[in-house]
Amino acid sequence: MPLTRASLAATRERVRAHMSAMAPPRAVHSVVERGVPGPSGPIPMRVYRPRPTPGLPVLVYAHGGGWVMGDLDTHDALCREISLRADVVVAAVDYRLAPEHPFPAPLEDFHAAARWVVGNAAQLGADPGRVAVGGDSAGGNLAAAACLLARDRGEPQFALQWLSYPALDGASERRSWETYADGPMLTVDNARTMWRMYAGQADLREPYLSPLHADSLAGLPPALVATPQHDHGHDDAAAFAQRLQDSGVPVEFASFEGLCHGFLPLFAQVPAAMDALDLCCDFLRSALNASGPTGQ
């Protein structure tokens, strides 16, 4: 069904109901709701702890949904699963949505929330020296853009960026956009509509909007770029991973055969999605634990 501004409210409700029922939420040690300071008021954050041990690494997570849908509840089961499987504190961010709040509002919210976590990790029982950012689809876009912002503003860089089928180029003409135009979870037509809703009046080649258009990717944190084979954005993700590597940034690129865009929340229903989630969480856990707690 084509996505329009007129149909957006109904689509949001349908997606929320569908995704909230996709997997039973697993029990974690604790789940805490809080608000953190943002550019336009408090930003809702949901913090998941897998166990009571202090000083765990933390993943600041941005949900997918094309910047126009999704919330803390649509990705609740997934965030719980990530917390348990990767043994990390997950700080899920409920950023403002377009088109009511177009670029750069969602990015400003996510960046502000991530910087708050770095400065206040002790309040979360987490290690300020091991703060990663990540997200799926539009959330992967926000995580990548937040790393660019941190670099360009001279801020301490995040420990890792985990980008799952990230939206990286709103002006892309790479082959996968044509090959997988009718993806079962997201069509190219709807993807382009979401890009326009998010961009508002901004140029689709603006680097903080489309990170693949950044002049340089040097100085960014190590990355895991995970993309399914059957995804319109597959070639964009591959190009981003290659540019990171060429810029001297450690990067792991994973392309999962037989999966499509939006596979992560399907972990309870699709065995291949569970395998992919396991691989990503294993990488996340290993990367963040490689140097051990910072003791900060």
Side-chain angles (χ1 to χ4, degrees):
M1 177 183 297
L3 179 66
T4 64
R5 287 176 180 257
S7 67
L8 185 55
T11 301
R12 284 171 172 166
E13 288 303 318
R14 185 169 65 252
V15 168
R16 182 179 294 112
H18 176 68
M19 293 190 67
S20 297
M22 290 181 75
R26 282 218 286 162
V28 295
H29 172 70
S30 66
V31 180
V32 176
E33 309 274 354
R34 66 182 310 149
V36 302
S40 295
I43 303 167
M45 178 182 288
R46 183 176 293 170
V47 182
Y48 304 83
R49 291 190 61 79
R51 53 192 174 94
T53 308
L56 292 175
V58 56
L59 172 69
V60 186
Y61 197 82
H63 65 77
W67 308 278
V68 304
M69 61 188 75
D71 54 31
L72 297 178
D73 291 335
T74 60
H75 284 62
D76 179 69
L78 176 61
C79 287
R80 290 167 180 266
E81 206 71 25
I82 293 170
S83 180
L84 292 168
R85 290 178 181 275
D87 195 31
V88 297
V89 174
V90 175
V93 180
D94 198 17
Y95 54 88
R96 288 171 291 171
L97 297 178
E100 297 91 339
H101 304 283
F103 175 84
L107 174 58
E108 289 176 342
D109 283 357
F110 182 73
H111 176 260
R115 297 319 310 176
W116 183 91
V117 170
V118 171
N120 298 273
Q123 292 189 35
L124 307 182
D127 183 347
R130 294 186 293 165
V131 177
V133 292
D136 58 294
S137 192
N141 167 281
L142 297 179
C147 292
L148 285 172
L149 272 179
R151 181 199 65 183
D152 295 347
R153 294 179 178 179
E155 300 168 346
Q157 193 53 270
F158 302 106
L160 180 75
Q161 51 181 323
W162 173 20
L163 315 179
S164 296
Y165 38 92
L168 295 167
D169 186 357
S172 179
E173 295 181 355
R174 293 177 181 85
R175 182 174 299 178
S176 58
W177 278 76
E178 180 179 352
T179 304
Y180 302 113
D182 297 319
M185 296 287 283
L186 179 63
T187 67
V188 161
D189 286 345
N190 281 345
R192 298 236 185 249
T193 296
M194 291 174 177
W195 269 105
R196 289 191 294 270
M197 287 182 177
Y198 176 44
Q201 301 301 310
D203 186 338
L204 284 172
R205 292 172 177 81
E206 150 66 44
Y208 297 133
L209 181 70
S210 293
L212 252 175
H213 287 274
D215 290 339
S216 171
L217 300 183
L220 296 182
L224 169 61
V225 181
T227 186
Q229 175 188 15
H230 301 288
D231 182 15
H232 66 278
H234 177 278
D235 293 354
D236 298 341
F240 192 74
Q242 186 63 55
R243 283 196 61 197
L244 287 170
Q245 180 176 307
D246 293 344
S247 299
V249 176
V251 58
E252 181 78 14
F253 178 68
S255 178
F256 297 108
E257 295 185 6
L259 290 174
C260 64
H261 190 93
F263 69 82
L264 277 182
L266 299 172
F267 67 87
Q269 302 173 352
V270 179
M274 178 66 87
D275 292 342
L277 178 60
D278 270 338
L279 185 150
C280 292
C281 288
D282 286 348
F283 179 91
L284 181 66
R285 182 177 60 252
S286 297
L288 292 177
N289 288 327
S291 58
T294 66
Q296 298 177 20

Short mmCIF file of all heavy atoms in Angstrom, two decimals, residues 62-111:
data_model
loop_
_atom_site.label_atom_id
_atom_site.label_comp_id
_atom_site.label_asym_id
_atom_site.label_seq_id
_atom_site.Cartn_x
_atom_site.Cartn_y
_atom_site.Cartn_z
N ALA A 62 18.61 3.28 18.26
CA ALA A 62 17.57 4.02 17.54
C ALA A 62 16.73 3.03 16.73
O ALA A 62 17.26 2.30 15.89
CB ALA A 62 18.19 5.06 16.61
N HIS A 63 15.44 3.03 16.97
CA HIS A 63 14.55 2.11 16.27
C HIS A 63 14.39 2.49 14.80
O HIS A 63 14.57 3.64 14.40
CB HIS A 63 13.17 2.07 16.94
CG HIS A 63 12.43 3.38 16.87
ND1 HIS A 63 11.79 3.83 15.74
CD2 HIS A 63 12.23 4.34 17.82
CE1 HIS A 63 11.22 4.99 15.97
NE2 HIS A 63 11.48 5.34 17.23
N GLY A 64 14.02 1.50 13.99
CA GLY A 64 13.69 1.75 12.60
C GLY A 64 12.25 2.20 12.44
O GLY A 64 11.51 2.35 13.41
N GLY A 65 11.87 2.42 11.18
CA GLY A 65 10.52 2.90 10.89
C GLY A 65 10.50 4.06 9.93
O GLY A 65 9.52 4.79 9.84
N GLY A 66 11.59 4.22 9.19
CA GLY A 66 11.63 5.26 8.16
C GLY A 66 11.55 6.67 8.69
O GLY A 66 11.13 7.57 7.96
N TRP A 67 11.95 6.87 9.94
CA TRP A 67 11.89 8.18 10.61
C TRP A 67 10.46 8.67 10.83
O TRP A 67 10.26 9.71 11.44
CB TRP A 67 12.63 9.29 9.84
CG TRP A 67 14.03 8.98 9.45
CD1 TRP A 67 15.15 9.09 10.24
CD2 TRP A 67 14.47 8.52 8.18
NE1 TRP A 67 16.25 8.72 9.52
CE2 TRP A 67 15.87 8.38 8.26
CE3 TRP A 67 13.81 8.24 6.98
CZ2 TRP A 67 16.63 7.94 7.17
CZ3 TRP A 67 14.55 7.79 5.91
CH2 TRP A 67 15.95 7.65 6.01
N VAL A 68 9.46 7.92 10.35
CA VAL A 68 8.07 8.40 10.42
C VAL A 68 7.18 7.51 11.28
O VAL A 68 6.03 7.86 11.55
CB VAL A 68 7.45 8.53 9.01
CG1 VAL A 68 8.30 9.44 8.14
CG2 VAL A 68 7.26 7.18 8.34
N MET A 69 7.69 6.37 11.72
CA MET A 69 6.92 5.47 12.57
C MET A 69 7.86 4.69 13.46
O MET A 69 9.08 4.79 13.34
CB MET A 69 6.04 4.55 11.73
CG MET A 69 6.79 3.63 10.80
SD MET A 69 5.69 2.72 9.68
CE MET A 69 5.24 4.02 8.53
N GLY A 70 7.28 3.91 14.35
CA GLY A 70 8.08 3.17 15.31
C GLY A 70 8.21 3.93 16.62
O GLY A 70 8.10 5.16 16.66
N ASP A 71 8.44 3.19 17.70
CA ASP A 71 8.59 3.80 19.03
C ASP A 71 9.25 2.79 19.95
O ASP A 71 9.75 1.75 19.51
CB ASP A 71 7.24 4.27 19.58
CG ASP A 71 6.17 3.18 19.61
OD1 ASP A 71 6.54 2.00 19.77
OD2 ASP A 71 4.98 3.51 19.49
N LEU A 72 9.26 3.09 21.23
CA LEU A 72 9.89 2.19 22.19
C LEU A 72 9.18 0.83 22.24
O LEU A 72 9.82 -0.20 22.48
CB LEU A 72 9.91 2.83 23.58
CG LEU A 72 10.73 4.11 23.71
CD1 LEU A 72 10.61 4.66 25.13
CD2 LEU A 72 12.19 3.88 23.35
N ASP A 73 7.88 0.81 22.04
CA ASP A 73 7.14 -0.44 22.13
C ASP A 73 7.33 -1.33 20.91
O ASP A 73 7.37 -2.56 21.03
CB ASP A 73 5.65 -0.17 22.34
CG ASP A 73 5.35 0.41 23.71
OD1 ASP A 73 6.15 0.17 24.64
OD2 ASP A 73 4.34 1.12 23.84
N THR A 74 7.45 -0.74 19.73
CA THR A 74 7.61 -1.58 18.53
C THR A 74 8.91 -2.38 18.58
O THR A 74 9.00 -3.46 18.01
CB THR A 74 7.59 -0.73 17.25
OG1 THR A 74 8.66 0.22 17.28
CG2 THR A 74 6.27 -0.01 17.07
N HIS A 75 9.92 -1.84 19.27
CA HIS A 75 11.22 -2.51 19.32
C HIS A 75 11.56 -3.02 20.72
O HIS A 75 12.72 -3.34 20.99
CB HIS A 75 12.31 -1.55 18.82
CG HIS A 75 12.31 -1.39 17.34
ND1 HIS A 75 11.24 -0.87 16.64
CD2 HIS A 75 13.25 -1.70 16.40
CE1 HIS A 75 11.53 -0.86 15.35
NE2 HIS A 75 12.72 -1.36 15.18
N ASP A 76 10.55 -3.13 21.57
CA ASP A 76 10.79 -3.56 22.95
C ASP A 76 11.36 -4.98 23.00
O ASP A 76 12.37 -5.23 23.66
CB ASP A 76 9.49 -3.49 23.75
CG ASP A 76 9.67 -3.94 25.19
OD1 ASP A 76 10.34 -3.24 25.96
OD2 ASP A 76 9.14 -5.02 25.53
N ALA A 77 10.74 -5.92 22.32
CA ALA A 77 11.21 -7.31 22.35
C ALA A 77 12.61 -7.42 21.77
O ALA A 77 13.45 -8.17 22.29
CB ALA A 77 10.25 -8.22 21.59
N LEU A 78 12.89 -6.68 20.70
CA LEU A 78 14.21 -6.72 20.09
C LEU A 78 15.27 -6.16 21.04
O LEU A 78 16.36 -6.75 21.18
CB LEU A 78 14.21 -5.93 18.78
CG LEU A 78 15.57 -5.81 18.08
CD1 LEU A 78 16.12 -7.17 17.70
CD2 LEU A 78 15.44 -4.92 16.84
N CYS A 79 14.98 -5.05 21.68
CA CYS A 79 15.97 -4.46 22.60
C CYS A 79 16.25 -5.38 23.78
O CYS A 79 17.40 -5.48 24.24
CB CYS A 79 15.49 -3.09 23.07
SG CYS A 79 15.58 -1.80 21.80
N ARG A 80 15.23 -6.05 24.27
CA ARG A 80 15.44 -7.03 25.33
C ARG A 80 16.36 -8.14 24.86
O ARG A 80 17.28 -8.58 25.58
CB ARG A 80 14.11 -7.61 25.80
CG ARG A 80 13.22 -6.63 26.56
CD ARG A 80 11.81 -7.17 26.72
NE ARG A 80 10.93 -6.24 27.43
CZ ARG A 80 10.71 -6.27 28.73
NH1 ARG A 80 11.27 -7.22 29.48
NH2 ARG A 80 9.91 -5.39 29.29
N GLU A 81 16.11 -8.61 23.64
CA GLU A 81 16.90 -9.71 23.09
C GLU A 81 18.36 -9.30 22.91
O GLU A 81 19.28 -10.05 23.24
CB GLU A 81 16.30 -10.16 21.76
CG GLU A 81 16.58 -11.59 21.40
CD GLU A 81 15.84 -12.60 22.26
OE1 GLU A 81 14.78 -12.25 22.83
OE2 GLU A 81 16.35 -13.74 22.38
N ILE A 82 18.57 -8.09 22.40
CA ILE A 82 19.93 -7.59 22.23
C ILE A 82 20.64 -7.48 23.57
O ILE A 82 21.81 -7.88 23.71
CB ILE A 82 19.91 -6.22 21.51
CG1 ILE A 82 19.42 -6.38 20.06
CG2 ILE A 82 21.30 -5.58 21.53
CD1 ILE A 82 19.15 -5.05 19.37
N SER A 83 19.95 -6.94 24.56
CA SER A 83 20.55 -6.78 25.88
C SER A 83 21.02 -8.12 26.44
O SER A 83 22.14 -8.24 26.95
CB SER A 83 19.54 -6.13 26.84
OG SER A 83 20.10 -5.95 28.12
N LEU A 84 20.17 -9.14 26.30
CA LEU A 84 20.51 -10.45 26.85
C LEU A 84 21.59 -11.14 26.02
O LEU A 84 22.54 -11.71 26.58
CB LEU A 84 19.26 -11.32 26.90
CG LEU A 84 18.20 -10.89 27.92
CD1 LEU A 84 16.89 -11.64 27.67
CD2 LEU A 84 18.68 -11.12 29.35
N ARG A 85 21.48 -11.10 24.71
CA ARG A 85 22.40 -11.85 23.86
C ARG A 85 23.77 -11.19 23.77
O ARG A 85 24.80 -11.88 23.65
CB ARG A 85 21.80 -12.03 22.47
CG ARG A 85 20.63 -12.98 22.44
CD ARG A 85 20.00 -13.12 21.06
NE ARG A 85 18.86 -14.03 21.14
CZ ARG A 85 18.94 -15.37 21.05
NH1 ARG A 85 20.12 -15.93 20.85
NH2 ARG A 85 17.87 -16.13 21.15
N ALA A 86 23.82 -9.86 23.80
CA ALA A 86 25.10 -9.16 23.72
C ALA A 86 25.65 -8.81 25.10
O ALA A 86 26.78 -8.34 25.21
CB ALA A 86 24.95 -7.88 22.89
N ASP A 87 24.86 -9.03 26.14
CA ASP A 87 25.25 -8.71 27.52
C ASP A 87 25.62 -7.24 27.65
O ASP A 87 26.69 -6.89 28.15
CB ASP A 87 26.41 -9.61 27.98
CG ASP A 87 26.60 -9.57 29.49
OD1 ASP A 87 25.61 -9.37 30.21
OD2 ASP A 87 27.76 -9.72 29.94
N VAL A 88 24.73 -6.38 27.17
CA VAL A 88 24.95 -4.94 27.24
C VAL A 88 23.70 -4.27 27.82
O VAL A 88 22.59 -4.79 27.71
CB VAL A 88 25.24 -4.32 25.86
CG1 VAL A 88 26.53 -4.88 25.27
CG2 VAL A 88 24.07 -4.52 24.90
N VAL A 89 23.93 -3.11 28.42
CA VAL A 89 22.81 -2.23 28.73
C VAL A 89 22.34 -1.63 27.40
O VAL A 89 23.16 -1.17 26.60
CB VAL A 89 23.25 -1.11 29.69
CG1 VAL A 89 22.11 -0.11 29.91
CG2 VAL A 89 23.72 -1.69 31.02
N VAL A 90 21.06 -1.65 27.15
CA VAL A 90 20.50 -1.03 25.95
C VAL A 90 19.69 0.19 26.36
O VAL A 90 18.77 0.08 27.17
CB VAL A 90 19.63 -2.00 25.13
CG1 VAL A 90 18.96 -1.28 23.96
CG2 VAL A 90 20.45 -3.18 24.62
N ALA A 91 20.08 1.34 25.82
CA ALA A 91 19.34 2.59 26.07
C ALA A 91 18.60 2.95 24.79
O ALA A 91 19.19 3.48 23.85
CB ALA A 91 20.30 3.70 26.48
N ALA A 92 17.32 2.60 24.72
CA ALA A 92 16.51 2.84 23.52
C ALA A 92 15.95 4.26 23.55
O ALA A 92 15.42 4.71 24.57
CB ALA A 92 15.37 1.83 23.44
N VAL A 93 16.07 4.95 22.42
CA VAL A 93 15.74 6.37 22.34
C VAL A 93 14.45 6.56 21.53
O VAL A 93 14.34 6.08 20.40
CB VAL A 93 16.88 7.16 21.69
CG1 VAL A 93 16.53 8.64 21.60
CG2 VAL A 93 18.18 6.96 22.47
N ASP A 94 13.51 7.28 22.10
CA ASP A 94 12.24 7.58 21.41
C ASP A 94 12.33 8.98 20.81
O ASP A 94 11.75 9.94 21.33
CB ASP A 94 11.08 7.47 22.40
CG ASP A 94 9.74 7.33 21.69
OD1 ASP A 94 9.73 6.98 20.50
OD2 ASP A 94 8.70 7.56 22.34
N TYR A 95 13.04 9.10 19.70
CA TYR A 95 13.25 10.39 19.05
C TYR A 95 11.97 10.88 18.37
O TYR A 95 11.07 10.10 18.06
CB TYR A 95 14.39 10.29 18.03
CG TYR A 95 14.21 9.18 17.00
CD1 TYR A 95 13.52 9.39 15.81
CD2 TYR A 95 14.74 7.91 17.22
CE1 TYR A 95 13.35 8.39 14.87
CE2 TYR A 95 14.58 6.89 16.29
CZ TYR A 95 13.89 7.14 15.12
OH TYR A 95 13.72 6.13 14.18
N ARG A 96 11.92 12.19 18.11
CA ARG A 96 10.77 12.77 17.42
C ARG A 96 10.68 12.23 15.99
O ARG A 96 11.70 11.90 15.38
CB ARG A 96 10.87 14.29 17.39
CG ARG A 96 10.64 14.96 18.73
CD ARG A 96 10.98 16.44 18.67
NE ARG A 96 12.43 16.66 18.50
CZ ARG A 96 12.98 17.84 18.25
NH1 ARG A 96 12.20 18.91 18.06
NH2 ARG A 96 14.29 17.96 18.15
N LEU A 97 9.46 12.15 15.48
CA LEU A 97 9.24 11.57 14.15
C LEU A 97 8.86 12.63 13.12
O LEU A 97 8.22 13.63 13.43
CB LEU A 97 8.11 10.53 14.22
CG LEU A 97 8.35 9.30 15.11
CD1 LEU A 97 7.12 8.40 15.09
CD2 LEU A 97 9.59 8.53 14.67
N ALA A 98 9.28 12.37 11.88
CA ALA A 98 8.83 13.13 10.72
C ALA A 98 7.47 12.58 10.28
O ALA A 98 7.09 11.47 10.66
CB ALA A 98 9.86 13.01 9.61
N PRO A 99 6.73 13.30 9.46
CA PRO A 99 7.01 14.63 8.91
C PRO A 99 6.70 15.78 9.87
O PRO A 99 7.01 16.92 9.56
CB PRO A 99 6.10 14.68 7.69
CG PRO A 99 4.92 13.85 8.08
CD PRO A 99 5.48 12.72 8.91
N GLU A 100 6.10 15.47 11.02
CA GLU A 100 5.83 16.54 11.98
C GLU A 100 7.13 17.21 12.44
O GLU A 100 7.17 18.41 12.70
CB GLU A 100 5.07 15.99 13.19
CG GLU A 100 3.70 15.41 12.87
CD GLU A 100 3.76 13.92 12.55
OE1 GLU A 100 4.86 13.42 12.20
OE2 GLU A 100 2.72 13.26 12.67
N HIS A 101 8.18 16.40 12.56
CA HIS A 101 9.48 16.90 13.00
C HIS A 101 10.55 16.40 12.02
O HIS A 101 11.21 15.40 12.27
CB HIS A 101 9.79 16.40 14.42
CG HIS A 101 8.74 16.75 15.42
ND1 HIS A 101 8.61 18.01 15.96
CD2 HIS A 101 7.75 16.00 15.97
CE1 HIS A 101 7.60 18.03 16.81
NE2 HIS A 101 7.05 16.82 16.83
N PRO A 102 10.72 17.09 10.90
CA PRO A 102 11.66 16.63 9.88
C PRO A 102 13.11 16.86 10.29
O PRO A 102 13.40 17.44 11.35
CB PRO A 102 11.28 17.48 8.66
CG PRO A 102 10.74 18.75 9.24
CD PRO A 102 10.01 18.32 10.49
N PHE A 103 14.02 16.41 9.44
CA PHE A 103 15.45 16.62 9.63
C PHE A 103 15.73 18.09 9.96
O PHE A 103 15.14 18.97 9.33
CB PHE A 103 16.19 16.22 8.34
CG PHE A 103 17.67 16.50 8.36
CD1 PHE A 103 18.54 15.61 8.94
CD2 PHE A 103 18.17 17.67 7.78
CE1 PHE A 103 19.90 15.86 8.95
CE2 PHE A 103 19.53 17.93 7.79
CZ PHE A 103 20.40 17.04 8.38
N PRO A 104 16.56 18.36 10.94
CA PRO A 104 17.41 17.42 11.68
C PRO A 104 16.86 16.99 13.04
O PRO A 104 17.63 16.47 13.86
CB PRO A 104 18.68 18.25 11.87
CG PRO A 104 18.17 19.64 12.08
CD PRO A 104 16.96 19.77 11.18
N ALA A 105 15.57 17.18 13.31
CA ALA A 105 15.03 16.92 14.65
C ALA A 105 15.29 15.50 15.15
O ALA A 105 15.77 15.33 16.28
CB ALA A 105 13.53 17.24 14.68
N PRO A 106 14.99 14.43 14.37
CA PRO A 106 15.27 13.08 14.89
C PRO A 106 16.75 12.88 15.19
O PRO A 106 17.10 12.26 16.21
CB PRO A 106 14.79 12.17 13.75
CG PRO A 106 13.72 12.97 13.07
CD PRO A 106 14.24 14.38 13.09
N LEU A 107 17.63 13.39 14.32
CA LEU A 107 19.06 13.26 14.57
C LEU A 107 19.48 14.04 15.80
O LEU A 107 20.28 13.56 16.62
CB LEU A 107 19.84 13.74 13.34
CG LEU A 107 21.37 13.81 13.49
CD1 LEU A 107 21.95 12.45 13.88
CD2 LEU A 107 22.00 14.33 12.22
N GLU A 108 18.97 15.25 15.96
CA GLU A 108 19.31 16.05 17.14
C GLU A 108 18.92 15.32 18.42
O GLU A 108 19.67 15.31 19.40
CB GLU A 108 18.61 17.40 17.08
CG GLU A 108 19.16 18.34 16.01
CD GLU A 108 18.38 19.64 15.92
OE1 GLU A 108 17.22 19.66 16.42
OE2 GLU A 108 18.90 20.61 15.36
N ASP A 109 17.75 14.69 18.41
CA ASP A 109 17.30 13.94 19.60
C ASP A 109 18.22 12.77 19.88
O ASP A 109 18.65 12.55 21.03
CB ASP A 109 15.87 13.44 19.40
CG ASP A 109 14.83 14.52 19.58
OD1 ASP A 109 15.20 15.67 19.91
OD2 ASP A 109 13.63 14.22 19.39
N PHE A 110 18.52 11.98 18.84
CA PHE A 110 19.33 10.79 19.07
C PHE A 110 20.74 11.18 19.50
O PHE A 110 21.30 10.58 20.44
CB PHE A 110 19.38 9.91 17.82
CG PHE A 110 20.19 8.66 18.04
CD1 PHE A 110 19.69 7.63 18.81
CD2 PHE A 110 21.46 8.52 17.50
CE1 PHE A 110 20.44 6.48 19.05
CE2 PHE A 110 22.22 7.38 17.73
CZ PHE A 110 21.70 6.36 18.50
N HIS A 111 21.31 12.18 18.85
CA HIS A 111 22.65 12.61 19.21
C HIS A 111 22.68 13.13 20.65
O HIS A 111 23.59 12.79 21.42
CB HIS A 111 23.12 13.70 18.24
CG HIS A 111 24.44 14.29 18.59
ND1 HIS A 111 24.57 15.51 19.24
CD2 HIS A 111 25.72 13.84 18.39
CE1 HIS A 111 25.85 15.77 19.43
NE2 HIS A 111 26.57 14.79 18.93
#
